[in-house]
Amino acid sequence: MEDMSTKMNTLPAMQVSIQSLDISTRRISASTDQMRLSVMGLNQGINHAMTPMHTMTNMMPFRW
């Protein structure tokens, strides 16, 4: 019983560690999602900027 009591005393500390890990994982997930949105916006911006270049290339009588 005494051994069990000692083990039970460590549970609150483990719970705090698990909660901290949960918070850290949520922050990493949010940061990763923000990076995904940023890269998606960058991709759309590059595609938008390249449209006039494609049009000009199609009008050229010769290709590089």
Side-chain angles (χ1 to χ4, degrees):
M1 275 311 248
E2 187 176 314
D3 186 43
M4 185 183 230
S5 177
T6 303
K7 290 180 181 180
M8 292 295 282
N9 289 338
T10 62
L11 287 179
M14 286 177 60
Q15 184 178 7
V16 169
S17 294
I18 291 170
Q19 287 173 341
S20 176
L21 180 62
D22 181 53
I23 291 169
S24 296
T25 303
R26 288 175 192 262
R27 287 180 181 163
I28 290 170
S29 178
S31 296
T32 303
D33 192 50
Q34 188 61 43
M35 284 192 317
R36 180 186 64 83
L37 292 173
S38 294
V39 169
M40 189 172 70
L42 180 64
N43 187 31
Q44 288 175 350
I46 290 172
N47 285 339
H48 183 70
M50 292 302 291
T51 302
M53 294 298 285
H54 287 296
T55 304
M56 288 174 50
T57 301
N58 290 335
M59 290 182 187
M60 294 277 221
F62 56 87
R63 302 251 176 187
W64 296 101

